[in-house]
Amino acid sequence: MKNLKKLFLGVLTLALAFSLAACNSSKETEGSGKAEGGDKESASGIQEMTIKISHVVAENTPKHHGALKMKEVIEKESGGKIKVQVYPNSQLFGDKDEYQNLVANNVQFIIPDMSKMVGNDPGFNIPAMPFLFESDDAANAFWDGEKGKEIFKRLEKDGVLGLSMWPNGAKHMTNDKKAIKTPEDLDGMKIRTQGGQLLEALYGQLGAGSASIPFGELYTALQQGTVDGQENTFSNIESKKFDEVQKYMTIMGHTRVDYALLTNTKFWDEMNEETKAIVQKGVDEGTKVARESAEQLNEDALKIIKERGQTKVNELSEAEIEAFKKALQPVYDEWKEKIGADIVSDAESK
């Protein structure tokens, strides 16, 4: 009987030992499947994760087209291991809080208007410099070059990585008061801008007041007369139907809307090389699509605005544009020094 009890206890001990070993093995397996930062890593080395891309404009815009291309490429190249969610129209975050949420890694990519970044670095005033770039290609060349990359690099102190510039294009004015043909025509008007001291100085030089209103709230502000007018690209004006609540549009191309594709450095650094290569390919392809679509969308948008016929369209002549350049020269000279003469000179050379 004693031998039988000893045998039974021996078997029970072995069973418990195997059970504990299996449990520990299971836990180790679970732990080894985690990539740094807590994302699961597949057998092939591609980390499983969900990436969020947030922006504030409508779907039929260069920014959204580029974001959708990023989603397509990343999901395809990762075999579905990486899911990409795109949130347009301020659905996730708006102008006021998207940068803070990127810093907190609550979203992995944002594509803000560079005018929203001027508080982070004065170099982001470049698109607001009056009549600086003659084309999208010139603006692209600047941001792809040494000085543009230098400005992006300065965001790393915030835990943010600047990856690329996505253009929207030259801006034009709309208002509900009168046709704008001379600098004096703006005297006494209140114009919505994206914000920043340079744009305030620009309109102040022309005798106009300025107000910074979130893009998602702009239609209502125009409709209610909170401001008299605004400046934007053709594609933004058309997609948000600002021509429904503005009687006049002036084609002038005095400043630009350019976007910065930004990511969180912690998110970026915690990707392994295989995963990062896939995401980088998405960024590259998204940038290409955003840039290719900007010019075409603006051309199409102007046609649609004219066809709708809800706003009177006036295009400034070369002589009229020269009058605006002359009026704004003091602002240009002052801000060339504030931004950095070397940076502005590089932009002028493109």
Side-chain angles (χ1 to χ4, degrees):
M1 180 66 72
K2 289 182 179 180
N3 290 336
L4 188 59
K5 285 183 178 180
K6 286 181 180 180
L7 180 61
F8 176 75
L9 288 172
V11 171
L12 182 61
T13 301
L14 284 171
L16 286 170
F18 278 118
S19 177
L20 287 170
C23 182
N24 288 335
S25 175
S26 175
K27 288 181 179 179
E28 288 172 5
T29 301
E30 288 177 10
S32 65
K34 298 282 187 179
E36 187 179 356
D39 292 321
K40 291 182 179 179
E41 187 174 344
S42 72
S44 65
I46 300 173
Q47 291 159 280
E48 295 182 19
M49 64 181 72
T50 298
I51 292 172
K52 295 178 181 178
I53 304 175
S54 174
H55 68 79
V56 303
V57 299
E59 288 89 342
N60 190 30
T61 55
K63 187 188 292 192
H64 191 65
H65 289 182
L68 290 181
K69 188 63 177 181
M70 281 181 63
K71 172 182 172 68
E72 175 192 328
V73 171
I74 293 171
E75 290 185 342
K76 179 181 178 181
E77 294 294 321
S78 69
K81 294 180 178 67
I82 304 175
K83 306 296 182 185
V84 181
Q85 299 170 350
V86 181
Y87 297 89
N89 285 309
S90 304
Q91 290 173 1
L92 192 61
F93 301 113
D95 281 330
K96 294 179 180 178
D97 59 356
E98 63 178 1
Y99 191 81
Q100 293 88 337
N101 278 283
L102 180 69
V103 172
N105 203 22
N106 295 327
V107 59
Q108 287 65 57
F109 290 95
I110 61 171
I111 322 165
D113 186 323
M114 287 189 184
S115 66
K116 303 301 178 185
M117 308 297 299
V118 297
N120 302 86
D121 189 89
F124 289 105
N125 280 293
I126 283 291
M129 283 291 277
F131 304 101
L132 178 57
F133 294 116
E134 293 186 356
S135 66
D136 288 345
D137 288 342
N140 294 342
F142 169 77
W143 289 103
D144 289 345
E146 178 186 350
K147 294 299 181 180
K149 290 177 180 177
E150 178 184 315
I151 294 170
F152 278 140
K153 190 170 180 61
R154 294 173 189 168
L155 297 176
E156 292 182 18
K157 67 183 186 301
D158 297 335
V160 171
L161 184 64
L163 297 174
S164 183
M165 181 277 259
W166 289 11
N168 194 329
K171 287 191 286 187
H172 312 279
M173 288 186 194
T174 69
N175 81 93
D176 204 38
K177 295 295 184 182
K178 59 183 176 180
I180 303 298
K181 296 182 179 180
T182 70
E184 293 74 22
D185 289 332
L186 280 158
D187 188 37
M189 285 194 185
K190 189 172 183 180
I191 306 296
R192 180 267 182 185
T193 70
Q194 293 95 320
Q197 293 180 336
L198 173 49
L199 287 173
E200 289 178 8
L202 187 154
Y203 281 98
Q205 183 72 18
L206 298 174
S210 61
S212 179
I213 297 171
F215 189 73
E217 301 170 15
L218 182 51
Y219 183 97
T220 301
L222 294 170
Q223 187 178 44
Q224 295 177 348
T226 305
V227 287
D228 298 313
Q230 61 87 48
E231 54 168 24
N232 238 305
T233 63
F234 294 136
S235 63
N236 280 356
I237 293 168
E238 188 280 318
S239 65
K240 285 297 188 178
K241 295 182 170 56
F242 294 151
D243 54 314
E244 291 181 346
V245 289
Q246 298 275 269
K247 294 178 182 177
Y248 305 96
M249 182 169 77
T250 303
I251 299 175
M252 58 191 303
H254 56 302
T255 56
R256 292 182 55 84
V257 176
D258 288 324
Y259 304 127
L261 178 64
L262 308 177
T263 192
N264 177 280
T265 53
K266 186 173 185 291
F267 157 75
W268 191 262
D269 292 342
E270 287 182 349
M271 286 189 288
N272 61 33
E273 291 306 311
E274 186 173 353
T275 306
K276 189 180 293 184
I278 290 170
V279 177
Q280 182 64 61
K281 184 173 181 179
V283 168
D284 294 341
E285 291 296 318
T287 297
K288 183 180 178 182
V289 166
R291 291 181 174 184
E292 288 176 348
S293 68
E295 184 175 358
Q296 188 62 53
L297 281 173
N298 281 318
E299 288 180 7
D300 294 344
L302 179 58
K303 291 178 183 178
I304 293 170
I305 290 168
K306 288 180 176 179
E307 288 170 0
R308 286 203 291 240
Q310 294 174 293
T311 187
K312 186 176 180 180
V313 179
N314 170 58
E315 184 168 5
L316 296 184
S317 66
E318 289 185 12
E320 288 169 333
I321 287 176
E322 284 301 318
F324 274 95
K325 286 182 178 180
K326 184 177 180 180
L328 293 171
Q329 191 64 46
V331 175
Y332 190 97
D333 292 341
E334 177 186 355
W335 280 86
K336 182 172 183 176
E337 297 305 315
K338 289 184 177 181
I339 293 170
D342 59 326
I343 291 174
V344 177
S345 294
D346 184 73
E348 289 170 340
S349 70
K350 303 305 180 186

